[in-house]
């Protein structure tokens, strides 16, 4: 095929004027109307159904059955004793089968009983878990008596060269939810925290 033929093929308009708007309006009209629950019990019932639907139809569509409830695979890689009221434990965990995520767990030095735990997955900075503001936050949390897990974000930091999360739509083309690995990477981070013997499961949160 010559360059002129390619140019002519690419110049053809495949969609008519306002076609995408017409399609959007058509599908929007088919969406069920929101009916506001009237009682707290109705809200709780609706919440459980929405959560179940999102997991099966959005986040984990096409992924292998049971992947969401699989136990976390964790490898501990040493400890940094700072002598300043907290320590840093090096680790990596399998966020998705075959995808290892490096992380740092900031712990209070005198750790006793059950304490709050915070997952810090925020990305979109090339420095990843080494960003100064993220380190400062995790140190602050640990010195206040909490566990702070600082995870690497897909496509950033140590994962920057091997995974680019803006290409997840390519996976969707194969019938598998591209957002699934990102969801599981964070979910496994929470699993790591919940597996810690000092984590209070009633006081677990995450940054965004």
């Amino acid at each position: 095929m010559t360059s002129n033929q390619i140019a002519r093929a690419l110049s053809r308009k495949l969609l008519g004027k306002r076609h995408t708007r017409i399609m959007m309006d058509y599908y929007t009209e088919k969406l069920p109307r929101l009916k506001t629950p009237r009682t707290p019990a109705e809200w709780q019932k609706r919440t459980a159904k929405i959560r179940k639907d999102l997991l099966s139809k959005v986040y984990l569509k096409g992924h292998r059955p049971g992947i969401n409830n699989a136990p976390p695979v964790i490898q501990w890689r040493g400890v940094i004793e700072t002598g300043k009221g907290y320590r840093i434990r090096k680790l990596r965990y399998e966020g998705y089968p075959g995808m290892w995520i490096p992380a740092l767990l900031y712990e209070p030095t005198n750790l006793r009983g059950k304490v709050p735990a915070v997952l810090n997955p925020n990305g979109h900075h090339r420095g990843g878990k080494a960003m100064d503001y993220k380190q400062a936050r995790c140190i602050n949390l640990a010195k206040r008596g909490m566990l702070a897990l600082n995870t690497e974000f897909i496509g950033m930091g140590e994962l920057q060269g091997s995974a680019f999360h803006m290409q997840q739509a390519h996976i969707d083309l194969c019938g598998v939810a591209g957002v699934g690995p990102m969801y599981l990477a964070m979910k496994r981070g929470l699993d790591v925290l919940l597996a810690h013997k000092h984590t209070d499961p009633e006081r677990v949160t995450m940054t965004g």
Side-chain angles (χ1 to χ4, degrees):
M1 182 177 287
T2 66
S3 59
N4 288 336
Q5 290 174 318
I6 295 174
R8 284 197 299 270
L10 294 177
S11 66
R12 288 178 55 202
K13 291 186 177 181
L14 302 180
L15 299 177
K17 188 176 181 181
R18 298 186 69 250
H19 186 81
T20 52
R21 177 60 183 268
I22 293 171
M23 290 177 63
M24 182 64 71
D25 291 342
Y26 173 76
Y27 286 111
T28 301
E29 289 176 359
K30 291 183 174 294
L31 292 174
R33 298 298 177 186
L34 177 63
K35 296 180 180 179
T36 305
R38 297 181 178 180
T39 66
E42 289 183 20
W43 273 114
Q44 292 296 330
K45 184 177 179 180
R46 175 81 64 83
T47 299
K49 184 180 186 306
I50 291 174
R51 182 178 290 113
K52 181 179 179 180
D53 287 345
L54 284 174
L55 285 175
S56 62
K57 299 176 182 179
V58 179
Y59 293 104
L60 299 177
K61 181 181 179 181
H63 295 277
R64 73 185 190 194
I67 193 171
N68 195 44
N69 298 318
V73 181
I74 312 168
Q75 295 181 356
W76 297 97
R77 298 293 187 175
V79 181
I80 300 173
E81 295 289 354
T82 68
K84 297 181 179 180
Y86 70 96
R87 68 173 64 90
I88 303 174
R89 299 182 67 187
K90 301 178 183 180
L91 68 141
R92 68 175 189 170
Y93 64 94
E94 197 173 31
Y96 192 83
M99 184 179 72
W100 290 90
I101 297 180
L104 299 171
L105 177 64
Y106 293 71
E107 293 181 337
T109 300
N110 299 316
L111 193 54
R112 297 184 181 88
K114 298 293 186 179
V115 300
V118 183
L119 177 65
N120 296 265
N122 54 305
H124 296 117
H125 288 288
R126 293 184 179 275
K129 67 182 186 301
M131 291 297 293
D132 53 0
Y133 76 87
K134 199 177 182 191
Q135 293 186 64
R137 183 204 307 142
C138 292
I139 292 171
N140 189 295
L141 291 170
K143 294 182 77 170
R144 291 173 182 270
M146 300 176 235
L147 296 169
L149 184 62
N150 181 353
T151 64
E152 202 67 277
F153 198 73
I154 298 176
M156 301 295 165
E158 292 187 56
L159 294 178
Q160 186 176 342
S162 59
F164 183 48
H165 64 260
M166 296 302 290
Q167 294 175 346
Q168 65 186 29
H170 295 180
I171 306 176
D172 287 280
L173 293 174
C174 300
V176 179
V179 73
M182 299 180 72
Y183 161 78
L184 287 166
M186 291 184 284
K187 197 269 185 183
R188 291 281 180 268
L190 289 172
D191 289 340
V192 171
L193 283 173
L194 289 169
H196 196 288
K197 65 180 181 180
H198 288 287
T199 294
D200 181 353
E202 298 298 322
R203 293 185 291 172
V204 178
T205 187
M206 66 183 291
T207 60

